[in-house]
Amino acid sequence: MTQDNLMIIIAFALYLGLMMYIGVYYYRKSNSIGDYILGGRQLGPWITALSAEASDMSGWMLMGVPGLAYTTGISGLWIAVGLTLGTWANWKFVSRRLRNHTEVASDSLTLPDYLKNRFHDQSHSVAVISALFILIFFLIYTSSGFVAGGKLFNTIFGLDYTLSLFITAGIVVFYTFLGGFLAVSWTDCIQGALMFFAILAVPITAAMYLGGPIETMQLIQSEFPQGLNLFGDTNDMFALIIGIISSLGWGLGYFGQPHILVRFMAISDAKELKKSTNIAMVWVILSLLAAIFVGLIGNVYMLPERLVGTDAETIFLVMTERLFTPFVAGLIWSAVLAAIMSTASAQLLVTASAISNDFYANIIHKTASDKELVLVSRIVVLLVAAVSIFLALNPDSLILTMVAYAWAGFGAAFGPAILFSLFWKRMTRRGCIAGIVVGGLTVLIWKQFAFLGLYEIVPGFIFSSIAIYIVSILDKLPPRPVLKDYKEAEKLHVDRKSTRLN
């Protein structure tokens, strides 16, 4: 073993040791299903913001987005714009209202649990259907994180790709299995901070190495001129418009991501969400811009070498190795592992929550104790991780492509359902089910045929919204208890908003 590898391993070991310690520490504090799934609603504003964004962005921000910018240039900025707008709208319009509505809806622990309680669904059909779609799309999403982990260890240490998958999955499963929501949230907070500084350090250092910001832009203009074209290199106006709409459509996905929305539900005080919003927006804007510039600057920094195909998604890793000492590089590479772990752990936990709390407790064993539900959740974590590893076995899988599929599935299936449930009291249980099913199936079908080249989240979100409205209007009025709960949640929302303003 070389001294360089030893320094990298030490950096990794320090980081991983801290993550595992957090898992063990919170193992003793997760005795009830409420603790394990939602941490007893005791998150502060900083942890809420950083854990939400860390679980959101994942390895695709440090590898997928730079890889896209490395290949296509600054036109990848359209995705960043869509994500930024979606993040802002989610924090601004959904976070506080969802926190209050879930509290009134029998103190709901999960997204399916909230939708079930929101409509007083005694048949449990809303929760079961929601849990099914969560399982489908999170299997894809989690496997994308494992692919990123496989590429990480393969690129850095030259390890076998399959072995790298098992290492990544093993670490994530360890602290998710033990510590539950509090462990995941605290590790996500630390990982979010690490990701932020890492994604800023690489393009800034590379630009200074190339002579400074002005010299770097001049070099890009001479060596990679098409990379500075915000509209890409296509002359097909229809394809250009479809591409921009598809990229901006990423922002629609935020309203339906269970692993992000659950952070809003867990904050200790809804009044703290304004502070969390400001923290989150600074993090997102700077991080996404930096990710674009990693790819853009990396294109000329690597000359005359070229990364082709799926190797383009390793540009962040390769630049880190060349720009920094082994120990510092190890810490920065830990940020990539942090990004992968933060999202994969959040997804595993939400999936486990959906299966144990919304399927097992509603269908299989209605009188299950908290201890039994925590055990079931931990078993589901293991099973979902195993299936995700199987789906990630192909080393040629593109991280961003896998994420886009799952992101669209959640955005279309749950986004309209959440928005309508929070802002329209006339929405009915049947309308909710119709929206989830139509949105989810539209994504699954549209993806296979790639109609018009349009990102599947756009038609999925539209058709889901239409289905909710039509079915709800044709259905009879919601029962009086449902309308009463909605009115109470709105009153709580207004009262807390007035208190905050005063």
Side-chain angles (χ1 to χ4, degrees), residues 2-160:
T2 65
Q3 185 176 358
D4 286 355
N5 279 344
L6 179 61
M7 297 304 294
I8 294 170
I9 290 172
I10 290 173
F12 267 76
L14 289 173
Y15 164 72
L16 294 176
L18 176 60
M19 297 302 101
M20 290 184 174
Y21 169 77
I22 291 173
V24 172
Y25 178 79
Y26 281 107
Y27 175 71
R28 299 190 296 270
K29 295 180 177 292
S30 298
N31 299 315
S32 71
I33 191 65
D35 290 338
Y36 190 77
I37 291 176
L38 212 58
R41 293 188 190 267
Q42 54 182 284
L43 297 191
W46 278 91
I47 297 177
T48 299
L50 291 179
S51 66
E53 299 315 317
S55 63
D56 164 17
M57 292 304 176
S58 185
W60 62 268
M61 186 191 78
L62 296 176
M63 295 177 69
V65 174
L68 176 67
Y70 179 87
T71 305
T72 64
I74 205 169
S75 60
L77 191 63
W78 289 107
I79 289 180
V81 171
L83 291 170
T84 300
L85 292 174
T87 300
W88 174 79
N90 208 25
W91 281 97
K92 178 68 174 178
F93 300 111
V94 175
S95 62
R96 185 175 294 105
R97 194 176 291 268
L98 181 63
R99 171 64 175 81
N100 294 327
H101 275 255
T102 53
E103 184 177 334
V104 171
S106 301
D107 209 22
S108 304
L109 297 177
T110 67
L111 209 58
D113 197 30
Y114 159 66
L115 293 174
K116 180 195 74 173
N117 294 331
R118 163 72 171 80
F119 300 105
H120 291 215
D121 180 22
Q122 300 301 318
S123 68
H124 306 294
S125 54
V126 172
V128 172
I129 291 171
S130 298
L132 177 62
F133 278 103
I134 283 176
L135 178 62
I136 291 172
F137 290 116
F138 264 151
L139 283 172
I140 300 170
Y141 211 149
T142 305
S143 65
S144 73
F146 291 165
V147 169
K151 291 185 178 182
L152 173 69
F153 286 107
N154 177 260
T155 301
I156 296 173
F157 299 113
L159 296 178
D160 175 72

Side-chain angles (χ1 to χ4, degrees), residues 452-468:
L452 304 176
L454 181 65
Y455 183 24
E456 53 271 15
I457 195 173
V458 178
F461 197 94
I462 293 172
F463 293 158
S464 175
S465 300
I466 293 173
I468 291 172

Side-chain angles (χ1 to χ4, degrees), residues 185-474:
S185 295
W186 270 100
T187 52
D188 282 357
C189 179
I190 295 169
Q191 290 159 349
L194 186 58
M195 289 163 61
F196 180 75
F197 290 111
I199 197 64
L200 290 178
V202 171
I204 290 173
T205 304
M208 298 308 295
Y209 177 85
L210 294 173
I214 297 176
E215 291 78 2
T216 301
M217 293 306 295
Q218 291 174 343
L219 184 60
I220 293 172
Q221 193 168 16
S222 63
E223 300 292 341
F224 187 35
Q226 67 272 27
L228 296 178
N229 187 349
L230 189 58
F231 300 101
D233 57 359
T234 180
N235 294 319
D236 185 339
M237 185 59 66
F238 179 76
L240 176 61
I241 293 173
I242 291 294
I244 292 176
I245 292 174
S246 296
S247 296
L248 293 177
W250 277 75
L252 295 173
Y254 275 102
F255 304 118
Q257 305 299 318
H259 57 299
I260 298 173
L261 296 176
V262 75
R263 266 42 182 200
F264 303 155
M265 297 161 60
I267 194 166
S268 60
D269 189 342
K271 292 182 291 185
E272 298 284 6
L273 282 167
K274 182 178 180 180
K275 186 184 295 183
S276 294
T277 301
N278 294 334
I279 297 168
M281 290 311 302
V282 170
W283 194 99
V284 166
I285 292 171
L286 293 180
S287 296
L288 285 174
L289 283 175
I292 295 293
F293 277 101
V294 168
L296 193 62
I297 297 173
N299 191 287
V300 294
Y301 174 81
M302 292 293 294
L303 292 175
E305 297 179 53
R306 294 290 304 166
L307 299 175
V308 297
T310 58
D311 287 342
E313 291 191 323
T314 65
I315 181 62
F316 180 84
L317 306 180
V318 175
M319 288 176 69
T320 299
E321 181 181 24
R322 301 187 181 189
L323 287 167
F324 300 97
T325 63
F327 183 75
V328 175
L331 291 177
I332 293 176
W333 283 330
S334 294
V336 181
L337 186 59
I340 296 164
M341 291 167 61
S342 59
T343 300
S345 60
Q347 292 159 352
L348 283 174
L349 187 61
V350 170
T351 309
S353 305
I355 299 302
S356 63
N357 197 62
D358 305 311
F359 182 78
Y360 183 85
N362 286 328
I363 303 298
I364 298 176
H365 193 185
K366 296 183 179 180
T367 59
S369 65
D370 271 8
K371 186 176 181 180
E372 181 179 347
L373 291 177
V374 171
L375 177 61
V376 171
S377 295
R378 286 174 170 149
I379 292 173
V380 172
V381 166
L382 297 177
L383 294 176
V384 171
V387 177
S388 297
I389 290 172
F390 175 77
L391 294 175
L393 286 174
N394 180 9
D396 293 326
S397 299
L398 273 171
I399 300 166
L400 197 60
T401 300
M402 299 177 74
V403 170
Y405 194 4
W407 186 266
F410 285 120
F414 295 108
I418 292 298
L419 290 175
F420 274 90
S421 75
L422 296 176
F423 291 95
W424 192 38
K425 66 179 180 181
R426 180 64 177 80
M427 182 183 183
T428 66
R429 180 182 67 87
R430 291 188 178 92
C432 180
I433 293 173
I436 293 171
V437 172
V438 169
L441 290 181
T442 298
V443 167
L444 292 172
I445 295 170
W446 198 281
K447 176 69 175 179
Q448 305 309 313
F449 296 97
F451 297 117
L452 304 176
L454 181 65
Y455 183 24
E456 53 271 15
I457 195 173
V458 178
F461 197 94
I462 293 172
F463 293 158
S464 175
S465 300
I466 293 173
I468 291 172
Y469 181 77
I470 291 177
V471 173
S472 294
I473 287 295
L474 294 178

